[in-house]
């Protein structure tokens, strides 16, 4: 097994322990969307896609929403902690230093983007929320919180990614209705 496969396997094993039921599916689905958006995505970007929410997987140390007044401050702390957790996993697998640095940098900026690679990760992550997280999120959090989270997620999509999300269909009629409202109400 090469270094990158070792790292992917270890990342998946950590995320499998998450108490958030959508997390394992979301990690692989974000990687799938990344490769659909950019089939030539490099190793660092692929590792970051798989690992970006690794902070959420470790209950004892994860960053908690209740500790932050501001949702964006919470998300920034979540991203920074994820990068800290990822670094030793990549090192143990012998991933090259510059790839480790870049993967951790990308995890740290995955909520905000800011350069072409980080923007790809942000789009893949956000599309995946609408693709696989939303049904479970809705069941757990209900209409108001799911709509707030969806507006926040839709707002951060590129024009290209918005077109993709507009074509995502859900079996549950209520989710289709929620998505329609989000698309019509977001700030242009
Ligand atoms: Fe995510």
């Amino acid at each position: 097994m090469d270094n990158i496969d070792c790292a992917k396997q270890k990342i998946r094993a950590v995320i499998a322990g998450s108490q958030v039921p959508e997390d394992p599916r979301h990690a692989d689905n974000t990687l799938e969307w990344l490769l659909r958006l950019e089939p030539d995505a490099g190793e660092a970007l692929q590792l970051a896609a798989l690992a970006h929410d690794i902070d959420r997987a470790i209950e004892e140390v994860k960053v908690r929403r209740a500790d932050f007044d501001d949702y964006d401050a919470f998300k920034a702390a979540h991203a920074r902690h994820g990068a800290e957790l990822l670094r030793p996993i990549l090192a143990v697998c012998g991933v090259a230093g510059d790839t480790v640095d870049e993967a951790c940098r990308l995890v740290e900026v995955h909520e905000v983007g800011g350069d072409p690679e980080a923007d790809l990760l942000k789009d893949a992550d956000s599309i995946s929320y609408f693709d696989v997280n939303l049904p479970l999120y809705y069941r757990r959090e209900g209409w108001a919180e799911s709509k707030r989270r969806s507006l926040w997620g839709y707002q951060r999509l590129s024009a290209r990614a918005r077109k993709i999300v507009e074509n995502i269909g859900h079996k549950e009629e209520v989710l289709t209705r929620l998505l329609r409202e989000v698309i019509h109400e977001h700030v242009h």
Side-chain angles (χ1 to χ4, degrees):
M1 184 164 52
D2 74 9
N3 299 340
I4 301 299
D5 287 336
C6 165
K8 285 180 174 172
Q9 199 175 85
K10 285 198 191 301
I11 293 163
R12 285 190 177 103
V14 172
I15 293 178
S18 175
Q19 307 218 343
V20 182
E22 56 267 37
D23 273 356
R25 182 78 196 94
H26 173 63
D28 270 294
N29 185 252
T30 299
L31 178 55
E32 287 161 22
W33 277 111
L34 171 71
L35 291 170
R36 267 175 230 157
L37 295 171
E38 179 49 72
D40 296 327
E43 287 172 340
L45 190 48
Q46 291 190 43
L47 290 167
L50 200 59
H52 71 278
D53 282 332
I54 197 167
D55 157 66
R56 278 211 298 260
I58 308 169
E59 198 58 29
E60 300 74 40
V61 295
K62 76 177 193 182
V63 173
R64 289 176 193 281
R65 174 69 184 97
D67 293 338
F68 295 83
D69 295 329
D70 180 65
Y71 191 68
D72 289 325
F74 157 64
K75 283 294 200 180
H78 151 74
R80 206 176 317 116
H81 189 228
E84 282 169 21
L85 293 171
L86 178 60
R87 185 171 291 278
I89 294 174
L90 301 184
V92 156
C93 288
V95 175
D98 53 347
T99 305
V100 175
D101 289 344
E102 177 63 359
C104 293
R105 183 191 74 80
L106 287 165
V107 168
E108 195 162 345
V109 298
H110 80 265
E111 305 283 7
V112 290
D115 60 85
E117 309 247 291
D119 288 346
L120 274 169
L121 175 58
K122 181 165 71 111
D123 264 354
D125 177 26
S126 306
I127 294 169
S128 176
Y129 166 80
F130 288 103
D131 186 14
V132 301
N133 294 45
L134 181 57
L136 291 166
Y137 196 89
Y138 180 83
R139 231 169 282 162
R140 186 174 62 244
E141 307 285 350
W143 176 272
E145 166 58 18
S146 299
K147 190 167 167 187
R148 182 206 64 77
R149 173 62 180 79
S150 297
L151 271 166
W152 181 85
Y154 191 79
Q155 205 65 48
R156 63 210 278 275
L157 291 166
S158 68
R160 177 193 181 197
R162 282 183 185 176
K163 289 214 174 66
I164 292 170
V165 166
E166 282 158 22
N167 286 305
I168 289 175
H170 286 289
K171 277 187 286 232
E172 299 95 323
E173 192 267 336
V174 66
L175 299 181
T176 307
R177 187 151 43 86
L178 189 143
L179 207 47
R180 289 285 149 269
E181 287 194 15
V182 165
I183 290 164
H184 286 113
E185 287 172 27
H186 87 274
V187 185
H188 292 267

